[in-house]
Amino acid sequence: YIAKAGRRGMSVYEADGDTNSPARLILLGDLRRALDSGDQLSVHYQAKLDLESKTVVGLEALLRWNHPLRGMVPPSEFIPLAEQTGLVHTVTDRVMRMVLTQQRAWIDEGLEIPVAVNLSALNLAEPELDRRIARLLEEYDVPARLLEFEITESAIMQDPERAAETLRRIAAMGSTIALDDFGIGNTSISQLRDLPIDTLKIDRSFISDMTNGNEVLVKVVTDLAHEFSMVAVAEGVELPETAERLRLLGCDIAQGFLYARPVPASELPDVLATYGMLTPAVLLD
Ligand code: C2E
Ligand code: MG
Ligand code: MG
Ligand code: MG
């Protein structure tokens, strides 16, 4: 990850595994300042497409940090840091506000675009998370059904009972829940059945493995999703032949560089013009 960041921007910090290393503490201080300054953080949006109609059914919000010295710092570097320090609550609040501001602007133009926001394990442990989300939806006057929350299996497993309760309350408000990076964790099938999950996002590693002929896991997860009346989404689709195999396996939705990279909202009109968009009303039936 660090090497990737180094190629894209100027890397002035050495990476190491020590959470309390000076480099990590400096980066943490920088992130605090970024959250205060307001102009270093932005959200990029990546389209998700229905595999049959090849139209956009929604977007995933992905946080971007443009560091004044280092350039773009990847979320894989700063999100874990924010998670270890509790700063992730502020990060999530900021992401939700940026997304809701954007959705409000789209609604004013007559567009209802569902957006998925990533939550971390710490967010799920927050007792008032559902109330905080409800207040934000009210403040921006955006319907709950236009927000989806993506959570990982490991985030749920840190405290499954509590996570299930929080997710149930969020689902009751009308938002949907997606299980992110599914397949690499160890959620049991009975836990999966008991959680208010609407969508399974099949981990990218399974999708890239399909080019080596390993389709069985994708097939199993797709069928599992459908048995539980969930939608199956493939992450990291890069090749047309992968998309076609996914379609034949019955996978519902795909997300990946093949269709669109994560882009600033200003570039979304191009994506929407290329593929068109299913309205949420059409999605319901
Ligand atoms: P994720 O939620 O699984 O997001 C998908 C990641 O896969 C994104 O990386 C996206 O750019 C990348 N991706 C999408 N399509 C392709 C593809 O076809 N090929 C390849 N190689 N990659 C693809 P990104 O934006 O670097 O984010 C990485 C992770 O950081 C996310 O994984 C998520 O766990 C976390 N993250 C990003 N934004 C946020 C946020 O606002 N809040 C929280 N808590 N976590 C976030
Ligand atoms: Mg995600
Ligand atoms: Mg994912
Ligand atoms: Mg992933």
Side-chain angles (χ1 to χ4, degrees), residues 46 60-64 75-76 79 83 88 95 118-120 150 180-181 204 235-238 255-258 262:
Q46 187 178 28
E60 177 173 4
L62 295 158
L63 184 58
R64 294 292 177 261
S76 55
I79 294 283
E83 279 170 354
V88 76
V95 171
N118 290 283
L119 293 182
S120 83
E150 297 195 1
D180 207 349
D181 306 337
R204 192 163 78 217
E235 307 192 294
V237 179
E238 296 183 348
Q255 179 179 353
F257 296 169
L258 169 65

PDB file of all heavy atoms in Angstrom, residues 46 60-64 75-76 79 83 88 95 118-120 150 180-181 204 235-238 255-258 262, ligand 1:
ATOM      1  N   GLN A  46     -18.080   5.311  -6.891  1.00  0.00           N
ATOM      2  CA  GLN A  46     -17.917   4.256  -7.896  1.00  0.00           C
ATOM      3  C   GLN A  46     -19.277   3.634  -8.198  1.00  0.00           C
ATOM      4  O   GLN A  46     -20.015   3.251  -7.281  1.00  0.00           O
ATOM      5  CB  GLN A  46     -16.945   3.172  -7.416  1.00  0.00           C
ATOM      6  CG  GLN A  46     -16.636   2.165  -8.525  1.00  0.00           C
ATOM      7  CD  GLN A  46     -15.645   1.090  -8.108  1.00  0.00           C
ATOM      8  OE1 GLN A  46     -15.545   0.741  -6.936  1.00  0.00           O
ATOM      9  NE2 GLN A  46     -14.911   0.562  -9.078  1.00  0.00           N
ATOM     10  N   GLU A  60     -20.957   3.570  -4.679  1.00  0.00           N
ATOM     11  CA  GLU A  60     -20.289   3.422  -3.385  1.00  0.00           C
ATOM     12  C   GLU A  60     -19.448   4.662  -3.144  1.00  0.00           C
ATOM     13  O   GLU A  60     -18.706   5.096  -4.029  1.00  0.00           O
ATOM     14  CB  GLU A  60     -19.393   2.175  -3.341  1.00  0.00           C
ATOM     15  CG  GLU A  60     -18.646   2.067  -1.995  1.00  0.00           C
ATOM     16  CD  GLU A  60     -17.857   0.780  -1.803  1.00  0.00           C
ATOM     17  OE1 GLU A  60     -17.789  -0.043  -2.736  1.00  0.00           O
ATOM     18  OE2 GLU A  60     -17.303   0.608  -0.687  1.00  0.00           O
ATOM     19  N   ALA A  61     -19.570   5.226  -1.943  1.00  0.00           N
ATOM     20  CA  ALA A  61     -18.770   6.390  -1.555  1.00  0.00           C
ATOM     21  C   ALA A  61     -17.430   5.912  -1.014  1.00  0.00           C
ATOM     22  O   ALA A  61     -17.384   5.064  -0.118  1.00  0.00           O
ATOM     23  CB  ALA A  61     -19.508   7.193  -0.487  1.00  0.00           C
ATOM     24  N   LEU A  62     -16.341   6.422  -1.559  1.00  0.00           N
ATOM     25  CA  LEU A  62     -14.998   6.037  -1.116  1.00  0.00           C
ATOM     26  C   LEU A  62     -14.212   7.295  -0.763  1.00  0.00           C
ATOM     27  O   LEU A  62     -14.070   8.203  -1.588  1.00  0.00           O
ATOM     28  CB  LEU A  62     -14.298   5.221  -2.206  1.00  0.00           C
ATOM     29  CG  LEU A  62     -14.974   3.864  -2.482  1.00  0.00           C
ATOM     30  CD1 LEU A  62     -14.635   3.338  -3.868  1.00  0.00           C
ATOM     31  CD2 LEU A  62     -14.614   2.852  -1.391  1.00  0.00           C
ATOM     32  N   LEU A  63     -13.731   7.340   0.461  1.00  0.00           N
ATOM     33  CA  LEU A  63     -13.077   8.543   0.970  1.00  0.00           C
ATOM     34  C   LEU A  63     -11.702   8.732   0.330  1.00  0.00           C
ATOM     35  O   LEU A  63     -10.968   7.765   0.140  1.00  0.00           O
ATOM     36  CB  LEU A  63     -12.953   8.426   2.499  1.00  0.00           C
ATOM     37  CG  LEU A  63     -12.370   9.631   3.241  1.00  0.00           C
ATOM     38  CD1 LEU A  63     -13.186  10.895   2.976  1.00  0.00           C
ATOM     39  CD2 LEU A  63     -12.316   9.339   4.738  1.00  0.00           C
ATOM     40  N   ARG A  64     -11.392   9.961   0.013  1.00  0.00           N
ATOM     41  CA  ARG A  64     -10.081  10.307  -0.556  1.00  0.00           C
ATOM     42  C   ARG A  64      -9.428  11.399   0.288  1.00  0.00           C
ATOM     43  O   ARG A  64     -10.095  12.341   0.708  1.00  0.00           O
ATOM     44  CB  ARG A  64     -10.248  10.805  -1.997  1.00  0.00           C
ATOM     45  CG  ARG A  64     -10.747   9.712  -2.953  1.00  0.00           C
ATOM     46  CD  ARG A  64      -9.681   8.641  -3.148  1.00  0.00           C
ATOM     47  NE  ARG A  64     -10.095   7.527  -3.986  1.00  0.00           N
ATOM     48  CZ  ARG A  64     -10.522   6.349  -3.534  1.00  0.00           C
ATOM     49  NH1 ARG A  64     -10.647   6.139  -2.233  1.00  0.00           N
ATOM     50  NH2 ARG A  64     -10.823   5.372  -4.352  1.00  0.00           N
ATOM     51  N   PRO A  75      -6.984   4.971   1.494  1.00  0.00           N
ATOM     52  CA  PRO A  75      -7.746   4.666   2.715  1.00  0.00           C
ATOM     53  C   PRO A  75      -7.199   3.463   3.463  1.00  0.00           C
ATOM     54  O   PRO A  75      -7.298   3.409   4.681  1.00  0.00           O
ATOM     55  CB  PRO A  75      -9.166   4.370   2.212  1.00  0.00           C
ATOM     56  CG  PRO A  75      -9.197   4.669   0.772  1.00  0.00           C
ATOM     57  CD  PRO A  75      -7.826   4.995   0.296  1.00  0.00           C
ATOM     58  N   SER A  76      -6.604   2.518   2.745  1.00  0.00           N
ATOM     59  CA  SER A  76      -6.048   1.339   3.428  1.00  0.00           C
ATOM     60  C   SER A  76      -4.953   1.749   4.405  1.00  0.00           C
ATOM     61  O   SER A  76      -4.591   1.006   5.312  1.00  0.00           O
ATOM     62  CB  SER A  76      -5.487   0.353   2.407  1.00  0.00           C
ATOM     63  OG  SER A  76      -4.545   1.006   1.568  1.00  0.00           O
ATOM     64  N   ILE A  79      -7.462   4.726   7.165  1.00  0.00           N
ATOM     65  CA  ILE A  79      -8.668   4.255   7.854  1.00  0.00           C
ATOM     66  C   ILE A  79      -8.305   3.373   9.062  1.00  0.00           C
ATOM     67  O   ILE A  79      -8.827   3.589  10.162  1.00  0.00           O
ATOM     68  CB  ILE A  79      -9.628   3.525   6.888  1.00  0.00           C
ATOM     69  CG1 ILE A  79     -10.193   4.507   5.842  1.00  0.00           C
ATOM     70  CG2 ILE A  79     -10.759   2.826   7.645  1.00  0.00           C
ATOM     71  CD1 ILE A  79     -11.285   5.441   6.320  1.00  0.00           C
ATOM     72  N   GLU A  83      -9.280   4.077  12.889  1.00  0.00           N
ATOM     73  CA  GLU A  83     -10.030   3.094  13.665  1.00  0.00           C
ATOM     74  C   GLU A  83      -9.375   2.820  15.016  1.00  0.00           C
ATOM     75  O   GLU A  83     -10.046   2.593  16.010  1.00  0.00           O
ATOM     76  CB  GLU A  83     -10.153   1.780  12.879  1.00  0.00           C
ATOM     77  CG  GLU A  83     -11.272   1.839  11.854  1.00  0.00           C
ATOM     78  CD  GLU A  83     -11.268   0.652  10.901  1.00  0.00           C
ATOM     79  OE1 GLU A  83     -10.331  -0.170  10.951  1.00  0.00           O
ATOM     80  OE2 GLU A  83     -12.215   0.559  10.101  1.00  0.00           O
ATOM     81  N   VAL A  88     -12.247   7.648  13.832  1.00  0.00           N
ATOM     82  CA  VAL A  88     -13.105   7.158  12.749  1.00  0.00           C
ATOM     83  C   VAL A  88     -14.547   7.641  12.901  1.00  0.00           C
ATOM     84  O   VAL A  88     -15.279   7.735  11.921  1.00  0.00           O
ATOM     85  CB  VAL A  88     -13.017   5.616  12.646  1.00  0.00           C
ATOM     86  CG1 VAL A  88     -13.806   4.924  13.739  1.00  0.00           C
ATOM     87  CG2 VAL A  88     -13.437   5.149  11.268  1.00  0.00           C
ATOM     88  N   VAL A  95     -17.829  11.819   6.118  1.00  0.00           N
ATOM     89  CA  VAL A  95     -18.206  11.131   4.868  1.00  0.00           C
ATOM     90  C   VAL A  95     -19.720  11.206   4.669  1.00  0.00           C
ATOM     91  O   VAL A  95     -20.206  11.547   3.584  1.00  0.00           O
ATOM     92  CB  VAL A  95     -17.734   9.657   4.887  1.00  0.00           C
ATOM     93  CG1 VAL A  95     -18.311   8.887   3.695  1.00  0.00           C
ATOM     94  CG2 VAL A  95     -16.207   9.582   4.881  1.00  0.00           C
ATOM     95  N   ASN A 118     -19.270   3.191   3.691  1.00  0.00           N
ATOM     96  CA  ASN A 118     -18.572   2.164   4.465  1.00  0.00           C
ATOM     97  C   ASN A 118     -18.542   2.531   5.941  1.00  0.00           C
ATOM     98  O   ASN A 118     -18.214   3.663   6.303  1.00  0.00           O
ATOM     99  CB  ASN A 118     -17.134   2.003   3.958  1.00  0.00           C
ATOM    100  CG  ASN A 118     -17.072   1.364   2.587  1.00  0.00           C
ATOM    101  OD1 ASN A 118     -17.231   0.145   2.444  1.00  0.00           O
ATOM    102  ND2 ASN A 118     -16.881   2.193   1.560  1.00  0.00           N
ATOM    103  N   LEU A 119     -18.869   1.571   6.786  1.00  0.00           N
ATOM    104  CA  LEU A 119     -18.778   1.777   8.233  1.00  0.00           C
ATOM    105  C   LEU A 119     -17.652   0.922   8.778  1.00  0.00           C
ATOM    106  O   LEU A 119     -17.335  -0.135   8.221  1.00  0.00           O
ATOM    107  CB  LEU A 119     -20.079   1.367   8.924  1.00  0.00           C
ATOM    108  CG  LEU A 119     -21.329   2.188   8.644  1.00  0.00           C
ATOM    109  CD1 LEU A 119     -22.494   1.639   9.464  1.00  0.00           C
ATOM    110  CD2 LEU A 119     -21.105   3.669   8.969  1.00  0.00           C
ATOM    111  N   SER A 120     -17.041   1.355   9.870  1.00  0.00           N
ATOM    112  CA  SER A 120     -16.007   0.543  10.500  1.00  0.00           C
ATOM    113  C   SER A 120     -16.578  -0.132  11.740  1.00  0.00           C
ATOM    114  O   SER A 120     -17.678   0.187  12.195  1.00  0.00           O
ATOM    115  CB  SER A 120     -14.799   1.401  10.862  1.00  0.00           C
ATOM    116  OG  SER A 120     -15.031   2.046  12.083  1.00  0.00           O
ATOM    117  N   GLU A 150     -22.203  -0.286   4.265  1.00  0.00           N
ATOM    118  CA  GLU A 150     -21.378  -1.470   4.017  1.00  0.00           C
ATOM    119  C   GLU A 150     -20.552  -1.766   5.262  1.00  0.00           C
ATOM    120  O   GLU A 150     -19.867  -0.895   5.788  1.00  0.00           O
ATOM    121  CB  GLU A 150     -20.442  -1.231   2.816  1.00  0.00           C
ATOM    122  CG  GLU A 150     -21.199  -1.011   1.531  1.00  0.00           C
ATOM    123  CD  GLU A 150     -20.326  -1.128   0.279  1.00  0.00           C
ATOM    124  OE1 GLU A 150     -19.115  -1.398   0.399  1.00  0.00           O
ATOM    125  OE2 GLU A 150     -20.884  -0.944  -0.816  1.00  0.00           O
ATOM    126  N   ASP A 180     -19.694  -6.406   3.280  1.00  0.00           N
ATOM    127  CA  ASP A 180     -18.591  -6.092   2.370  1.00  0.00           C
ATOM    128  C   ASP A 180     -17.517  -7.172   2.436  1.00  0.00           C
ATOM    129  O   ASP A 180     -17.358  -7.824   3.468  1.00  0.00           O
ATOM    130  CB  ASP A 180     -17.984  -4.742   2.813  1.00  0.00           C
ATOM    131  CG  ASP A 180     -17.329  -3.987   1.680  1.00  0.00           C
ATOM    132  OD1 ASP A 180     -17.152  -4.570   0.589  1.00  0.00           O
ATOM    133  OD2 ASP A 180     -16.982  -2.817   1.884  1.00  0.00           O
ATOM    134  N   ASP A 181     -16.784  -7.338   1.361  1.00  0.00           N
ATOM    135  CA  ASP A 181     -15.653  -8.278   1.320  1.00  0.00           C
ATOM    136  C   ASP A 181     -16.085  -9.669   1.780  1.00  0.00           C
ATOM    137  O   ASP A 181     -15.340 -10.365   2.476  1.00  0.00           O
ATOM    138  CB  ASP A 181     -14.490  -7.792   2.212  1.00  0.00           C
ATOM    139  CG  ASP A 181     -14.056  -6.370   1.881  1.00  0.00           C
ATOM    140  OD1 ASP A 181     -14.306  -5.921   0.754  1.00  0.00           O
ATOM    141  OD2 ASP A 181     -13.472  -5.709   2.753  1.00  0.00           O
ATOM    142  N   ARG A 204     -13.266  -9.249  -3.693  1.00  0.00           N
ATOM    143  CA  ARG A 204     -12.525  -9.098  -4.943  1.00  0.00           C
ATOM    144  C   ARG A 204     -11.603 -10.280  -5.237  1.00  0.00           C
ATOM    145  O   ARG A 204     -11.377 -10.637  -6.387  1.00  0.00           O
ATOM    146  CB  ARG A 204     -11.712  -7.805  -4.871  1.00  0.00           C
ATOM    147  CG  ARG A 204     -11.131  -7.364  -6.162  1.00  0.00           C
ATOM    148  CD  ARG A 204     -10.721  -5.910  -6.080  1.00  0.00           C
ATOM    149  NE  ARG A 204      -9.471  -5.740  -5.365  1.00  0.00           N
ATOM    150  CZ  ARG A 204      -9.231  -4.705  -4.562  1.00  0.00           C
ATOM    151  NH1 ARG A 204     -10.143  -3.795  -4.361  1.00  0.00           N
ATOM    152  NH2 ARG A 204      -8.065  -4.588  -3.970  1.00  0.00           N
ATOM    153  N   GLU A 235     -17.396  -7.543  -6.478  1.00  0.00           N
ATOM    154  CA  GLU A 235     -16.481  -6.405  -6.360  1.00  0.00           C
ATOM    155  C   GLU A 235     -15.248  -6.630  -7.223  1.00  0.00           C
ATOM    156  O   GLU A 235     -14.779  -7.762  -7.340  1.00  0.00           O
ATOM    157  CB  GLU A 235     -15.900  -6.298  -4.953  1.00  0.00           C
ATOM    158  CG  GLU A 235     -16.803  -6.263  -3.794  1.00  0.00           C
ATOM    159  CD  GLU A 235     -16.001  -5.856  -2.554  1.00  0.00           C
ATOM    160  OE1 GLU A 235     -15.130  -6.619  -2.123  1.00  0.00           O
ATOM    161  OE2 GLU A 235     -16.272  -4.761  -2.060  1.00  0.00           O
ATOM    162  N   GLY A 236     -14.709  -5.567  -7.777  1.00  0.00           N
ATOM    163  CA  GLY A 236     -13.420  -5.666  -8.465  1.00  0.00           C
ATOM    164  C   GLY A 236     -13.502  -6.355  -9.807  1.00  0.00           C
ATOM    165  O   GLY A 236     -12.595  -7.089 -10.192  1.00  0.00           O
ATOM    166  N   VAL A 237     -14.586  -6.128 -10.548  1.00  0.00           N
ATOM    167  CA  VAL A 237     -14.724  -6.714 -11.883  1.00  0.00           C
ATOM    168  C   VAL A 237     -13.906  -5.880 -12.871  1.00  0.00           C
ATOM    169  O   VAL A 237     -14.161  -4.690 -13.048  1.00  0.00           O
ATOM    170  CB  VAL A 237     -16.209  -6.760 -12.311  1.00  0.00           C
ATOM    171  CG1 VAL A 237     -16.344  -7.343 -13.717  1.00  0.00           C
ATOM    172  CG2 VAL A 237     -17.012  -7.570 -11.305  1.00  0.00           C
ATOM    173  N   GLU A 238     -12.910  -6.510 -13.477  1.00  0.00           N
ATOM    174  CA  GLU A 238     -11.998  -5.771 -14.353  1.00  0.00           C
ATOM    175  C   GLU A 238     -12.086  -6.216 -15.803  1.00  0.00           C
ATOM    176  O   GLU A 238     -11.632  -5.496 -16.695  1.00  0.00           O
ATOM    177  CB  GLU A 238     -10.552  -5.928 -13.840  1.00  0.00           C
ATOM    178  CG  GLU A 238     -10.352  -5.303 -12.460  1.00  0.00           C
ATOM    179  CD  GLU A 238      -8.911  -5.381 -11.967  1.00  0.00           C
ATOM    180  OE1 GLU A 238      -8.108  -6.110 -12.565  1.00  0.00           O
ATOM    181  OE2 GLU A 238      -8.617  -4.707 -10.959  1.00  0.00           O
ATOM    182  N   GLN A 255     -19.352  -4.294  -9.746  1.00  0.00           N
ATOM    183  CA  GLN A 255     -18.673  -3.031  -9.471  1.00  0.00           C
ATOM    184  C   GLN A 255     -17.214  -3.270  -9.811  1.00  0.00           C
ATOM    185  O   GLN A 255     -16.652  -4.292  -9.427  1.00  0.00           O
ATOM    186  CB  GLN A 255     -18.842  -2.721  -7.979  1.00  0.00           C
ATOM    187  CG  GLN A 255     -18.190  -1.461  -7.485  1.00  0.00           C
ATOM    188  CD  GLN A 255     -18.441  -1.248  -5.992  1.00  0.00           C
ATOM    189  OE1 GLN A 255     -19.204  -1.976  -5.367  1.00  0.00           O
ATOM    190  NE2 GLN A 255     -17.782  -0.265  -5.423  1.00  0.00           N
ATOM    191  N   GLY A 256     -16.600  -2.380 -10.559  1.00  0.00           N
ATOM    192  CA  GLY A 256     -15.193  -2.595 -10.873  1.00  0.00           C
ATOM    193  C   GLY A 256     -14.696  -1.663 -11.948  1.00  0.00           C
ATOM    194  O   GLY A 256     -15.480  -0.944 -12.590  1.00  0.00           O
ATOM    195  N   PHE A 257     -13.379  -1.693 -12.129  1.00  0.00           N
ATOM    196  CA  PHE A 257     -12.742  -0.778 -13.072  1.00  0.00           C
ATOM    197  C   PHE A 257     -13.232  -1.006 -14.500  1.00  0.00           C
ATOM    198  O   PHE A 257     -13.151  -0.114 -15.329  1.00  0.00           O
ATOM    199  CB  PHE A 257     -11.213  -0.930 -13.005  1.00  0.00           C
ATOM    200  CG  PHE A 257     -10.611  -0.531 -11.672  1.00  0.00           C
ATOM    201  CD1 PHE A 257      -9.271  -0.821 -11.385  1.00  0.00           C
ATOM    202  CD2 PHE A 257     -11.356   0.147 -10.714  1.00  0.00           C
ATOM    203  CE1 PHE A 257      -8.700  -0.449 -10.167  1.00  0.00           C
ATOM    204  CE2 PHE A 257     -10.798   0.523  -9.495  1.00  0.00           C
ATOM    205  CZ  PHE A 257      -9.462   0.221  -9.228  1.00  0.00           C
ATOM    206  N   LEU A 258     -13.734  -2.216 -14.807  1.00  0.00           N
ATOM    207  CA  LEU A 258     -14.282  -2.473 -16.142  1.00  0.00           C
ATOM    208  C   LEU A 258     -15.319  -1.419 -16.506  1.00  0.00           C
ATOM    209  O   LEU A 258     -15.349  -0.924 -17.631  1.00  0.00           O
ATOM    210  CB  LEU A 258     -14.920  -3.871 -16.188  1.00  0.00           C
ATOM    211  CG  LEU A 258     -15.769  -4.190 -17.426  1.00  0.00           C
ATOM    212  CD1 LEU A 258     -14.909  -4.208 -18.701  1.00  0.00           C
ATOM    213  CD2 LEU A 258     -16.500  -5.521 -17.262  1.00  0.00           C
ATOM    214  N   PRO A 262     -13.640   4.800  -9.183  1.00  0.00           N
ATOM    215  CA  PRO A 262     -14.212   5.812  -8.281  1.00  0.00           C
ATOM    216  C   PRO A 262     -13.835   7.204  -8.813  1.00  0.00           C
ATOM    217  O   PRO A 262     -12.673   7.442  -9.117  1.00  0.00           O
ATOM    218  CB  PRO A 262     -13.514   5.529  -6.941  1.00  0.00           C
ATOM    219  CG  PRO A 262     -12.970   4.138  -7.053  1.00  0.00           C
ATOM    220  CD  PRO A 262     -12.639   3.944  -8.501  1.00  0.00           C
TER     221      PRO A 262
HETATM  222  P1  C2E B   1     -14.063  -1.513  -0.037  1.00  0.00           P
HETATM  223  O1  C2E B   1     -15.191  -0.937   0.722  1.00  0.00           O
HETATM  224  O2  C2E B   1     -14.088  -2.972  -0.299  1.00  0.00           O
HETATM  225  O3  C2E B   1     -14.025  -0.669  -1.399  1.00  0.00           O
HETATM  226  C1  C2E B   1     -13.675  -1.188  -2.647  1.00  0.00           C
HETATM  227  C2  C2E B   1     -12.224  -0.886  -2.976  1.00  0.00           C
HETATM  228  O4  C2E B   1     -11.887  -1.605  -4.172  1.00  0.00           O
HETATM  229  C3  C2E B   1     -11.942   0.582  -3.276  1.00  0.00           C
HETATM  230  O5  C2E B   1     -10.607   0.864  -2.866  1.00  0.00           O
HETATM  231  C4  C2E B   1     -12.038   0.611  -4.804  1.00  0.00           C
HETATM  232  O6  C2E B   1     -11.327   1.692  -5.375  1.00  0.00           O
HETATM  233  C5  C2E B   1     -11.411  -0.705  -5.139  1.00  0.00           C
HETATM  234  N1  C2E B   1     -11.830  -1.221  -6.440  1.00  0.00           N
HETATM  235  C6  C2E B   1     -13.035  -1.079  -7.034  1.00  0.00           C
HETATM  236  N2  C2E B   1     -13.077  -1.712  -8.222  1.00  0.00           N
HETATM  237  C7  C2E B   1     -11.871  -2.276  -8.392  1.00  0.00           C
HETATM  238  C8  C2E B   1     -11.276  -3.061  -9.454  1.00  0.00           C
HETATM  239  O7  C2E B   1     -11.894  -3.378 -10.463  1.00  0.00           O
HETATM  240  N3  C2E B   1      -9.996  -3.472  -9.271  1.00  0.00           N
HETATM  241  C9  C2E B   1      -9.279  -3.140  -8.162  1.00  0.00           C
HETATM  242  N4  C2E B   1      -8.013  -3.567  -8.078  1.00  0.00           N
HETATM  243  N5  C2E B   1      -9.802  -2.398  -7.150  1.00  0.00           N
HETATM  244  C10 C2E B   1     -11.079  -1.964  -7.269  1.00  0.00           C
HETATM  245  P2  C2E B   1     -10.266   2.147  -1.989  1.00  0.00           P
HETATM  246  O8  C2E B   1     -11.087   3.317  -2.413  1.00  0.00           O
HETATM  247  O9  C2E B   1      -8.783   2.274  -1.980  1.00  0.00           O
HETATM  248  O10 C2E B   1     -10.757   1.743  -0.547  1.00  0.00           O
HETATM  249  C11 C2E B   1     -10.178   0.673   0.154  1.00  0.00           C
HETATM  250  C12 C2E B   1     -10.944   0.357   1.405  1.00  0.00           C
HETATM  251  O11 C2E B   1     -10.886   1.443   2.325  1.00  0.00           O
HETATM  252  C13 C2E B   1     -12.440   0.138   1.169  1.00  0.00           C
HETATM  253  O12 C2E B   1     -12.666  -1.178   0.678  1.00  0.00           O
HETATM  254  C14 C2E B   1     -12.987   0.357   2.563  1.00  0.00           C
HETATM  255  O13 C2E B   1     -12.803  -0.785   3.358  1.00  0.00           O
HETATM  256  C15 C2E B   1     -12.073   1.464   3.069  1.00  0.00           C
HETATM  257  N6  C2E B   1     -12.763   2.760   2.917  1.00  0.00           N
HETATM  258  C16 C2E B   1     -12.815   3.595   1.836  1.00  0.00           C
HETATM  259  N7  C2E B   1     -13.559   4.678   2.102  1.00  0.00           N
HETATM  260  C17 C2E B   1     -14.019   4.524   3.383  1.00  0.00           C
HETATM  261  C18 C2E B   1     -14.868   5.303   4.259  1.00  0.00           C
HETATM  262  O14 C2E B   1     -15.399   6.369   3.889  1.00  0.00           O
HETATM  263  N8  C2E B   1     -15.080   4.803   5.509  1.00  0.00           N
HETATM  264  C19 C2E B   1     -14.534   3.623   5.932  1.00  0.00           C
HETATM  265  N9  C2E B   1     -14.802   3.191   7.198  1.00  0.00           N
HETATM  266  N10 C2E B   1     -13.777   2.855   5.145  1.00  0.00           N
HETATM  267  C20 C2E B   1     -13.515   3.302   3.883  1.00  0.00           C
END
